[in-house]
Amino acid sequence: MWSLLLNTNTGWVLLSTTMLGIAAGAIGCLAYWKKQNLMSDALSHAALPGVVITFLIFQEKNLLLLVIGAGISALIGALLIQWITTSSRISEDAAMGMILSVFYGLGIMLLSIASRSSGGNQSGLDNFIFGQAAAMVRSDIRTMMMLAVIVILTVVIGFKEWKIYLFDQSFANSIGLPLKAMNTLYTFVLVVTIVIGIQAVGVILMAAILIIPAVSARYWTHSFKCMLIISSIFGAFSGAIGTLISAQGRGWPTGPFIVVVAASFFIFSLVFGKEKGLLIHYLHRQNQSKQYRVNQLPIKGAIK
Amino acid sequence: MSQPVISVKHLVAAYQKNTVLENVSFSIPAGSLTAIVGPNGAGKSTLMKVLLNLHPAITGDITFFGRPFKEVKKRIGYVPQRGSVDWDFPTDALDVVTMGLYGDIGWFKHPKKQHKARAFEALEKMGMQAYAHRQISQLSGGQQQRVFLARALVQNADIYFMDEPLAGVDAATERAIMATLKKLNALGKTVIVVHHDLQTVEDYFDHVLFLNQTIISHGKTQDVFSKDNIRRTYGGNIRWLGGVD
């Protein structure tokens, strides 16, 4: 294990997936309370055609360029979902389902064209499907970390504003919060988080690292601030541990391992969570019925 | 009659293709306590949302103190319908009330001790001090409504809009809320309430605005709260007409 860390590239990759986990854990909380968990899934799938088209145009695997392409394509997906929902009778989940599969299908189609045109080896472009953190070079990592820091700062600086935006939009608007600007900013940071994650986690599983840490954190706290922090910690450890495990085998994809680690945090939270965990619920019920029985005793005595 | 604080002229608003408000004109005198009444779908909540710039108007002219909404935003407080938010959101009562002070605290700054103290004071006024650190999901409907009202109180506004604050609350909360509204009124504040219970209109409000897509009647309660106006607003479907001449 230590020899892995001493290998500088692995160290850097580890740091970047940890940062990604923090950013995804934080944005995941916003998505959770905006009730848009499926949206993040739709957007990450919608990013794939952008990645491939950018590669086809520039014929090089530069993460910054690919990220911009992915971002544009995800934003087009977001706009289409919004347009379908507002201009027709189609509901949002149906719109998301359509965009998700159509964009993903388009991405895979383009990917097979790309792989043929550039002679079999499409320079690891299919890594974007399941994620391959180890394939990232130093400049990719720099790009990714810089964007992750921007995302994290956006959430931290506007914490109080995000809170009221998520809790009570009409009141937020009545005290002068610019809702439209916040909606745009929210979509923007969500898309940025998704696109910086697609190389490490992949488009298929990216949504999981946005959704699972936030859902797990909900089991531990009744405070939005703590939920953000706990979710970021879960995200960070999922990213780090998943990357470490996937680095054990040659060519093991990173995304599935990160998701499995995140899922084990979820199961742990589900059972042991301090606020809503199953165990706490069980003990609480036991305690209540015990108290009830104790309270009954003196009454019995009085009747006698 | 005192000078109007809100003046609305020829207001039209719609949801998609359906016109909800048609040629609505009225003015609200300063220091009045007004009930907006009308059947379901009459546009009561929409009217409030349009006034607060939460829903766009197609045409019409709305002024507060003779000025547009944006210039006087800080002087206007709003209590949304209780059902409009998710009470499962992880926060406590004091924190929700503190949200009413966000304008004072300033963007991107943290609330200070004095803000928390003011929020606590508002909770006290609503008899909710014991619940300051209670999870909002664990409050009863009436308590949640009191928290919302406390949040409006800390805003220290001149005009208050409240969307059905008495819907689905217990008798004690109804009394507490009405006492607060009367107190606000005594301080010279103007309060506009979307109200659903015709039986209490005369006891609670000094002005009534009958609305059914357009203004049916508007004025002092004693002048306009009549069987005739109720029938014109609600059509033939009103069961309760007792006690009104």
Side-chain angles (χ1 to χ4, degrees):
Chain A
M1 204 69 123
W2 280 112
S3 64
L4 264 175
L5 284 177
L6 290 174
N7 176 337
T8 47
N9 200 52
T10 310
W12 278 103
V13 166
L14 199 61
L15 188 62
S16 67
T17 48
T18 308
M19 293 283 287
L20 170 70
I22 296 174
I27 295 299
C29 282
L30 303 192
Y32 181 94
W33 288 109
K34 203 156 161 36
K35 320 252 149 111
Q36 281 201 332
N37 287 313
L38 190 60
M39 186 62 140
S40 42
D41 203 20
L43 294 187
S44 55
H45 282 75
L48 188 61
V51 173
V52 187
I53 290 171
T54 316
F55 177 77
L56 284 172
I57 294 172
F58 294 95
Q59 291 293 329
E60 90 176 291
K61 206 181 130 274
N62 172 323
L63 188 65
L64 188 60
L65 284 177
L66 296 183
V67 155
I68 292 170
I72 292 171
S73 152
L75 282 176
I76 292 173
L79 286 176
L80 279 175
I81 291 170
Q82 203 181 21
W83 178 72
I84 291 172
T85 317
T86 51
S87 68
S88 71
R89 286 179 172 275
I90 298 167
S91 66
E92 195 178 32
D93 65 328
M96 285 193 285
M98 282 198 301
I99 294 299
L100 183 153
S101 38
V102 170
F103 271 63
Y104 183 67
L106 188 68
I108 295 292
M109 197 182 87
L110 290 169
L111 197 63
S112 43
I113 295 171
S115 66
R116 199 161 297 165
S117 68
S118 54
N121 173 23
Q122 67 276 48
S123 55
L125 214 54
D126 52 356
N127 284 342
F128 281 88
I129 296 175
F130 286 120
Q132 186 57 269
M136 290 193 290
V137 295
R138 195 65 64 84
S139 65
D140 294 349
I141 291 169
R142 252 204 305 275
T143 305
M144 194 174 146
M145 295 226 293
M146 198 180 68
L147 291 171
V149 168
I150 292 174
V151 168
I152 295 164
L153 284 179
T154 310
V155 178
V156 172
I157 293 172
F159 169 74
K160 171 166 121 290
E161 285 68 29
W162 288 119
K163 187 162 69 177
I164 189 158
Y165 164 80
L166 294 168
F167 173 62
D168 192 344
Q169 290 220 345
S170 50
F171 186 77
N173 187 67
S174 80
I175 61 169
L177 217 64
L179 284 193
K180 271 192 188 145
M182 287 196 76
N183 274 328
T184 310
L185 185 64
Y186 162 77
T187 309
F188 181 75
V189 285
L190 181 65
V191 166
V192 169
T193 315
I194 287 168
V195 297
I196 59 173
I198 56 173
Q199 167 133 52
V201 185
V203 292
I204 295 188
L205 296 173
M206 188 51 216
I209 197 178
L210 281 158
I211 298 168
I212 301 175
V215 175
S216 314
R218 187 74 188 96
Y219 284 91
W220 294 96
T221 177
H222 276 316
S223 135
F224 184 56
K225 192 194 265 177
C226 295
M227 182 175 168
L228 266 175
I229 295 170
I230 295 170
S231 173
S232 300
I233 292 172
F234 281 154
F237 277 102
S238 308
I241 299 171
T243 307
L244 272 179
I245 300 175
S246 76
Q248 304 295 318
R250 212 179 148 72
W252 285 5
T254 330
F257 288 97
I258 291 182
V259 171
V260 168
V261 175
S264 36
F265 280 129
F266 169 72
I267 292 167
F268 180 74
S269 307
L270 176 71
V271 177
F272 298 104
K274 188 171 82 61
E275 296 297 343
K276 296 195 160 196
L278 296 175
L279 192 66
I280 278 288
H281 262 283
Y282 174 75
L283 291 177
H284 196 74
R285 237 194 347 255
Q286 290 291 98
N287 203 18
Q288 263 179 340
S289 65
K290 204 162 99 190
Q291 246 171 12
Y292 182 73
R293 264 178 269 135
V294 170
N295 287 341
Q296 293 267 299
L297 285 176
I299 298 171
K300 263 187 195 165
I303 291 169
K304 271 178 188 170
Chain B
M1 203 197 256
S2 42
Q3 198 206 339
V5 288
I6 305 170
S7 162
V8 177
K9 284 181 196 126
H10 311 300
L11 178 72
V12 179
Y15 274 108
Q16 265 137 21
K17 281 177 192 156
N18 305 322
T19 310
V20 186
L21 296 172
E22 242 172 300
N23 197 19
V24 169
S25 302
F26 63 92
S27 60
I28 303 267
S32 63
L33 183 50
T34 303
I36 301 179
V37 297
N40 290 335
K44 304 185 293 276
S45 292
T46 308
L47 175 61
M48 203 161 261
K49 283 188 177 144
V50 172
L51 293 179
L52 289 160
N53 218 4
L54 291 165
H55 185 81
I58 293 171
T59 62
D61 184 43
I62 305 166
T63 55
F64 300 85
F65 311 103
R67 311 226 298 270
F69 175 77
K70 281 193 174 143
E71 290 176 24
V72 290
K73 226 172 195 175
K74 283 207 162 164
R75 296 176 66 183
I76 299 169
Y78 175 45
V79 181
Q81 274 187 23
R82 186 162 51 85
S84 67
V85 305
D86 181 357
W87 290 92
D88 208 26
F89 192 84
T91 187
D92 62 22
L94 188 65
D95 197 40
V96 172
V97 179
T98 312
M99 288 174 185
L101 291 166
Y102 278 12
D104 278 11
I105 295 167
W107 302 132
F108 310 127
K109 288 186 197 143
H110 286 289
K112 298 204 177 71
K113 259 199 184 140
Q114 54 124 336
H115 298 117
K116 290 277 172 191
R118 275 168 67 189
F120 191 81
E121 216 174 280
L123 274 175
E124 243 172 352
K125 278 185 195 156
M126 294 309 304
M128 286 288 292
Q129 64 276 21
Y131 300 93
H133 297 289
R134 183 73 67 90
Q135 268 311 299
I136 54 168
S137 59
Q138 289 164 12
L139 299 172
S140 71
Q143 290 166 337
Q144 290 171 344
Q145 193 66 59
R146 290 190 207 199
V147 169
F148 260 12
L149 212 67
R151 181 177 68 176
L153 289 183
V154 294
Q155 288 185 282
N156 198 18
D158 293 317
I159 306 175
Y160 282 103
F161 286 97
M162 306 189 182
D163 202 345
E164 303 234 17
L166 300 176
V169 302
D170 52 289
T173 299
E174 179 156 337
R175 276 196 300 276
I177 290 174
M178 282 322 298
T180 309
L181 297 196
K182 299 252 165 172
K183 247 185 250 167
L184 286 173
N185 207 219
L187 290 169
K189 317 261 185 193
T190 308
V191 183
I192 300 110
V193 177
V194 170
H195 193 58
H196 63 286
D197 185 4
L198 286 173
Q199 305 199 45
T200 51
V201 168
E202 281 176 298
D203 293 338
Y204 291 168
F205 300 97
D206 55 33
H207 283 71
V208 190
L209 193 154
F210 286 101
L211 182 75
N212 194 348
Q213 306 215 334
T214 187
I215 303 285
I216 307 292
S217 179
H218 173 226
K220 287 188 175 163
T221 309
Q222 66 219 49
D223 300 337
V224 299
F225 196 70
S226 63
K227 229 176 205 172
D228 191 38
N229 277 333
I230 294 173
R231 195 176 290 121
R232 280 169 58 208
T233 310
Y234 287 82
N237 299 328
I238 185 71
R239 279 193 214 109
W240 178 84
L241 285 168
V244 178
D245 304 316

